[in-house]
Amino acid sequence: MKSTVPYRIDRLPWTRFHWLVVLALGTAWVLDGLEIQMAATIGSVLEDKETLNLTTTQVGMTASVYLLGEVIGALWFGRLADRLGRRKLFLYTLGLYLLFNGLSGFAWDFWSFLALRFVAGMGIGGEYAAVNSAIDELIPARYRGRVDIAVNGSYWFGAAIGAAAQLLLLNPDILPKDIGWRISLLVGPFIGLAIWQLRKHIPESPRWLLTHGQPEEAARIVDEMEKGVPPEQLPKLEPHHEIEVRPAPPVTYRQIARVMLKQYRTRSILGFTMMVTQSFLYNAIFFTYALVLANFFGVEDKNIAYYFFPFAIGNFLGAVVLGPFFDTWGRRPMIAGTYIGSAVLLAISGYLFYIDALTAVTQTILWCIIFFFASAGASSAYLTVSEIFPLELRSQAIAFFFAISQFFGGVIAPTVFGSLVGEGEDRGPLFYGYLFGAALMAVGGIVAAVIGVNAERKSLEDIASPLSMVGRSAEPPPQHEVVVPR
């Protein structure tokens, strides 16, 4: 069957429909940021005898199990999103998160809390794969980079919301200890419930429908997207904008391995390097943020949230402000620049920390500047792995690289850097840890500069041909090819 559906999507100007997509689907990262911040903050509260009376080890396990749930959820629901469709999965995964995160607030002991947090994590993990795929396939090519980066960066907006909410909810002078932490776990579901209604108005990805034997429905959805757009704003479609696809059965694990390890081996190396390096740096800094402020600068626990706010806002602004340049200046120079730039700044700030030239305030200011750039770079890693592989395995590719990055970033990095912080007596080990993290980011930037994909303003089908496409080479297209109608 022949169709111009992909290029009709890419030629659209920005409309109210695209704002709906961003608002309804982009909240996945807001919720995740909120949840991670909540988990990091309520840990000490859950150790209190008036609450669940957990040990320090058990508190650490709750965070690890939540992250494990994200990984398993991403892998499981990522495969289902490629088989069953984006829409079914982003509705289901949000529902799963809403239900089980809300139930977490009613946990009665350690094991019930652990189980409920695991399933809630699965819901958020599934969101990463299904939602990233849907956004990429619904947003016009010339806006895709900035939208993806801003949406991924909204994680930090959620973290800021979480910190603000817990300043009130975890204040024992306002709410009893065993009530405040439970209510705080309902903040995310409260936001998610409002978003649930918006998601019902988001259609299935026309691209997914086209490659799964439903060209009429795909065309009907695009017809709806074009309503209200003046004809003069729609560039003329050319013959080469028509593609032909042949519906095929769901991809097998063997096909996925062949595509990622043979056909697109270089792109897999790119995705692995970008995801692991940014994840290691981010989790190393984020999960030891409070420890560094407390152990080296003497900041009291109750005041740490005030230092977190500018850090979170700096991260969010970096993704929003720098995102458009990934579409105009291009992926490779911007990815290399943000990765290497943040690496250099981290090395400098690490040295200033080592010679004890910083205060808690100046250290936070430097972190804000560093992660203004690193945030855009980290978000571009998710953008990269979501657009450089064929449609039939897009969600699974996102899930695969997300799982790898969570292992290195969520498991290894906090443990290593936590041991480097120690009791705050020696700055040397942490300084060398910062240098190591900076070196990793620099490697990620260099790799992106050398083997990165010039995906800016290109249709997804020209970046990586669908496996079901007829008459198109299976090899990656030339780097200079730009065929999206402007």
Side-chain angles (χ1 to χ4, degrees):
M1 71 191 89
K2 294 183 178 181
S3 176
T4 57
V5 158
Y7 296 97
R8 289 174 62 192
I9 294 174
D10 286 330
R11 69 175 182 164
L12 284 169
W14 191 262
T15 66
R16 291 179 60 187
F17 170 78
H18 299 118
W19 281 118
L20 176 62
V21 170
V22 171
L23 182 60
L25 300 184
T27 47
W29 288 263
V30 174
L31 293 175
D32 190 33
L34 186 150
E35 285 305 312
I36 293 296
Q37 175 60 25
M38 293 289 191
T41 310
I42 67 174
S44 59
V45 177
L46 296 181
E47 293 179 273
D48 195 283
K49 292 182 179 180
E50 296 181 26
T51 60
L52 296 185
N53 194 25
L54 305 185
T55 65
T56 303
T57 301
Q58 288 176 326
V59 169
M61 286 180 64
T62 62
S64 296
V65 165
Y66 179 78
L67 292 175
L68 177 63
E70 282 194 340
V71 169
I72 293 177
L75 293 172
W76 175 252
F77 293 121
R79 181 158 180 79
L80 290 180
D82 281 335
R83 295 187 64 179
L84 305 179
R86 316 314 190 198
R87 188 174 189 275
K88 290 180 181 178
L89 269 296
F90 65 60
L91 288 174
Y92 180 77
T93 52
L94 179 60
L96 191 69
Y97 159 78
L98 291 175
L99 176 61
F100 282 88
N101 200 71
L103 290 175
S104 298
F106 297 94
W108 57 92
D109 62 10
F110 168 65
W111 293 107
S112 62
F113 187 69
L114 206 66
L116 292 167
R117 292 296 288 169
F118 173 78
V119 182
M122 286 185 65
I124 288 293
E127 288 272 284
Y128 273 99
V131 169
N132 252 329
S133 300
I135 289 176
D136 277 2
E137 292 165 12
L138 289 170
I139 297 296
R142 60 186 176 277
Y143 301 113
R144 188 175 61 241
R146 71 193 71 188
V147 170
D148 240 28
I149 289 172
V151 164
N152 279 280
S154 67
Y155 171 99
W156 294 101
F157 183 65
I161 294 174
Q166 292 191 318
L167 283 174
L168 298 175
L169 297 175
L170 297 184
N171 186 337
D173 296 329
I174 299 176
L175 290 172
K177 287 184 177 181
D178 196 40
I179 299 297
W181 75 269
R182 296 181 186 276
I183 295 178
S184 70
L185 289 174
L186 298 176
V187 174
F190 179 77
I191 296 174
L193 195 59
I195 297 303
W196 174 275
Q197 299 302 320
L198 290 178
R199 285 198 178 180
K200 292 180 180 179
H201 300 286
I202 303 295
E204 179 57 85
S205 162
R207 286 178 154 105
W208 185 89
L209 290 168
L210 186 64
T211 56
H212 287 76
Q214 302 180 58
E216 294 84 6
E217 178 63 11
R220 186 195 65 78
I221 291 174
V222 179
D223 288 341
E224 290 294 320
M225 294 167 66
E226 291 178 343
K227 279 186 177 179
V229 178
E232 61 271 16
Q233 293 186 23
L234 296 175
K236 181 181 177 181
L237 292 171
E238 302 295 341
H240 66 276
H241 294 150
E242 185 175 65
I243 66 172
E244 184 176 0
V245 296
R246 178 176 54 245
V251 293
T252 64
Y253 287 113
R254 183 176 180 178
Q255 286 176 298
I256 295 173
R258 178 181 59 79
V259 170
M260 299 186 70
L261 301 180
K262 184 178 179 181
Q263 181 178 338
Y264 288 101
R265 183 188 300 113
T266 301
R267 295 186 180 192
S268 295
I269 293 173
L270 172 68
F272 172 83
T273 306
M274 288 183 62
M275 289 292 285
V276 168
T277 53
Q278 63 82 22
S279 181
F280 187 93
L281 175 68
Y282 252 100
N283 286 283
I285 300 296
F286 179 73
F287 282 103
T288 59
Y289 192 92
L291 291 176
V292 171
L293 290 175
N295 293 0
F296 290 102
F297 297 105
V299 177
E300 296 182 20
D301 290 345
K302 65 180 181 180
N303 294 324
I304 285 176
Y306 294 105
Y307 291 87
F308 176 81
F309 277 115
F311 178 72
I313 297 302
N315 275 273
F316 177 61
L317 290 178
V320 173
V321 172
L322 298 179
F325 295 106
F326 286 80
D327 287 323
T328 55
W329 290 2
R331 304 287 199 262
R332 293 170 78 178
M334 283 303 299
I335 293 172
T338 52
Y339 268 66
I340 296 174
S342 58
V344 171
L345 291 173
L346 178 61
I348 293 172
S349 72
Y351 177 71
L352 294 175
F353 167 80
Y354 176 63
I355 64 175
D356 198 11
L358 301 174
T359 65
V361 172
T362 54
Q363 175 71 80
T364 300
I365 291 173
L366 281 174
W367 275 338
C368 289
I369 296 172
I370 292 166
F371 286 92
F372 176 86
F373 295 99
S375 173
S379 296
S380 72
Y382 286 94
L383 165 66
T384 297
V385 299
S386 68
E387 67 182 0
I388 61 175
F389 295 102
L391 182 145
E392 291 87 348
L393 52 88
R394 177 166 291 121
S395 287
Q396 293 170 88
I398 296 169
F400 175 72
F401 289 108
F402 173 75
I404 291 177
S405 68
Q406 281 294 75
F407 173 75
F408 283 97
V411 178
I412 296 178
T415 302
V416 171
F417 272 70
S419 65
L420 296 178
V421 171
E423 299 299 322
E425 298 173 353
D426 185 1
R427 293 170 180 257
L430 188 56
F431 166 56
Y432 291 116
Y434 287 151
L435 289 182
F436 179 73
L440 280 181
M441 283 296 282
V443 168
I446 293 170
V447 169
V450 175
I451 64 174
V453 179
N454 296 328
E456 60 274 6
R457 302 184 303 279
K458 289 184 181 179
S459 176
L460 293 171
E461 290 70 24
D462 293 311
I463 301 171
S465 299
L467 301 179
S468 54
M469 186 177 289
V470 179
R472 179 76 68 88
S473 170
E475 296 301 316
Q479 287 296 300
H480 64 272
E481 180 184 5
V482 180
V483 295
V484 175
R486 307 273 182 96

